[in-house]
């Protein structure tokens, strides 16, 4: 009997079915939508450029004072009709406790940035597979907020004519809101709707609650946006409805991430899946078929 050997099938390639592969454009799109390990230098550059762009665009929105004050009056009347116009009472009550309101002024000025960056770093280190999608939700939230600032200029309660709100930064001479004191010329004072203090703090809180393992850390995640809501109202920087606007922007951000990645960020794998080795013909290593022949 002859020995059986395996040799490449030659001269019959036309008779073999070619592997089904996606078009190049679809493959590129799939690669973009697949979780990948974030690169530190790129993320630092992206966050820095994005925040610079956000600040530039936000402050470049025309300060439409008359329209902003008109919208403020409408918001205030709407809250009265809804029975939720208690911001003035909260502002006066908290302002009467000096140590508390001073602490809130510094909270408003600093934690907005510190906590958001801390959560991004934590995601980068501990949840690299979910990092890009969660970051996309944050960026989309911020981008749609810029549209809100342009289309709906709104003065904060402390600038409302005829109101009795206390500008807590001015009264207590603390470094706080960029729209108060000597810093007011560096920031658009009529960009109160939506509140990104709420949008960003909700993003932080939900991310920590969904992904943290320790129960007390998850509880802190929920308390953070709750405390932020009290702070923005007590310092007379926002109305309740500004917070609703921030929530709607965040919902849009998560919807964008869901559409792009095919799942909510928290449902993606914690780690980045390893890449499949590439073969002679494609990503799954399909080479030329081998058939047994008789020697």
């Amino acid at each position: 009997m002859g020995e059986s050997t395996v040799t490449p099938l030659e001269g019959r390639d036309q008779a073999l079915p070619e592997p089904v592969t996606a078009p190049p454009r679809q493959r590129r799109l799939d690669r973009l939508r697949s979780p990948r390990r974030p690169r530190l230098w790129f993320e630092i550059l992206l966050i820095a450029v994005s925040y610079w762009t956000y600040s530039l665009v936000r402050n470049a929105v025309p300060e439409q004072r008359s329209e902003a004050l008109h919208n403020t009056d409408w918001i205030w009347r709407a809250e009265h009709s809804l029975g939720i116009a208690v911001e003035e009472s909260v502002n006066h009550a908290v302002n009467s406790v000096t140590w508390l309101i001073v602490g809130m002024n510094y909270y408003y000025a600093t934690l907005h940035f510190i906590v958001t960056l801390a959560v991004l770093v934590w995601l980068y280190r501990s949840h690299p597979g979910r990092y890009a999608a969660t970051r996309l939700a944050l960026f989309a939230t911020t981008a749609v907020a810029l549209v809100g600032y342009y289309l709906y200029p709104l003065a904060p309660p402390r600038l409302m004519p005829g109101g009795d709100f206390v500008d807590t930064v001015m009264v207590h001479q603390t470094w706080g809101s960029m729209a108060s004191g000597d810093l007011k010329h560096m920031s658009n004072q009529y960009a109160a709707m939506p509140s990104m203090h709420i949008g960003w703090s909700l993003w932080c809180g939900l991310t920590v609650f969904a992904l943290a393992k320790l129960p007390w850390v998850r509880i802190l995640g929920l308390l953070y946006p709750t405390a932020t809501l009290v702070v923005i109202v007590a310092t007379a920087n926002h109305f309740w409805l500004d917070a609703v606007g921030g929530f709607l922007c965040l919902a849009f951000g998560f919807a964008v991430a869901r559409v792009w990645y095919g799942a909510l960020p928290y449902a993606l794998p914690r780690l980045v899946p390893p890449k499949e080795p590439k073969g002679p013909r494609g990503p799954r290593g399909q080479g030329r078929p081998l058939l047994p022949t008789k020697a």
Side-chain angles (χ1 to χ4, degrees), residues 158-199:
R158 56 188 171 73
L159 295 181
M160 187 172 64
D164 194 26
F165 287 93
V166 178
D167 188 334
T168 59
V169 172
M170 291 290 292
V171 169
H172 298 280
Q173 296 296 303
T174 55
W175 181 78
S177 170
M178 287 288 290
S180 293
D182 295 334
L183 299 175
K184 66 182 179 181
H185 300 297
M186 298 172 58
S187 179
N188 185 352
Q189 297 189 75
Y190 305 118
M193 170 67 83
S195 168
M196 277 299 91
H197 275 75
I198 291 300

Side-chain angles (χ1 to χ4, degrees), residues 54 139-150 193-196 249 252:
Y54 165 75
F139 279 28
T141 298
T142 306
V144 76
L146 291 174
V147 178
Y149 298 147
Y150 187 88
M193 170 67 83
S195 168
M196 277 299 91
C249 288
F252 172 83

Side-chain angles (χ1 to χ4, degrees), residues 202-253:
L202 269 175
W203 176 87
C204 293
L206 291 175
T207 300
V208 171
F209 180 77
L211 301 180
K213 295 180 179 180
L214 297 176
W216 67 269
V217 176
R218 300 181 71 199
I219 293 173
L220 284 179
L222 295 181
L223 289 178
Y224 174 54
T226 304
T228 301
L229 178 61
V230 175
V231 166
I232 67 172
V233 171
T235 56
N237 280 295
H238 288 284
F239 295 102
W240 298 120
L241 291 182
D242 298 347
V244 174
F247 170 80
L248 293 177
C249 288
L250 182 66
F252 172 83

Side-chain angles (χ1 to χ4, degrees), residues 20-60:
V20 178
T21 59
R25 180 180 299 180
Q26 183 63 41
R27 290 201 300 270
R28 287 194 297 269
L29 182 61
D30 289 342
R31 283 197 297 269
L32 288 173
R33 298 172 68 179
S34 299
R36 63 184 66 188
R37 179 170 293 279
R39 293 165 291 180
L40 181 59
W41 68 267
F42 177 78
E43 293 303 325
I44 293 175
L45 180 62
L46 179 63
I47 291 171
V49 171
S50 298
Y51 184 73
W52 176 80
T53 304
Y54 165 75
S55 301
L56 184 66
V57 174
R58 182 182 187 272
N59 297 333

Side-chain angles (χ1 to χ4, degrees), residues 106 109-121 200 204 224:
Y106 288 122
T110 59
L111 292 193
H112 181 49
F113 309 104
I114 295 173
V115 176
T116 304
L117 286 175
V119 174
L120 281 169
V121 171
W200 288 12
C204 293
Y224 174 54

Side-chain angles (χ1 to χ4, degrees), residues 76-104:
W76 191 230
R77 286 187 285 107
E79 289 197 351
H80 273 283
S81 65
L82 293 172
I84 59 174
V86 297
E87 290 93 333
E88 194 172 283
S89 299
V90 174
N91 174 238
H92 282 264
V94 178
N95 185 66
S96 64
V97 185
T98 302
W99 66 267
L100 180 58
I101 194 60
V102 168
M104 287 188 173

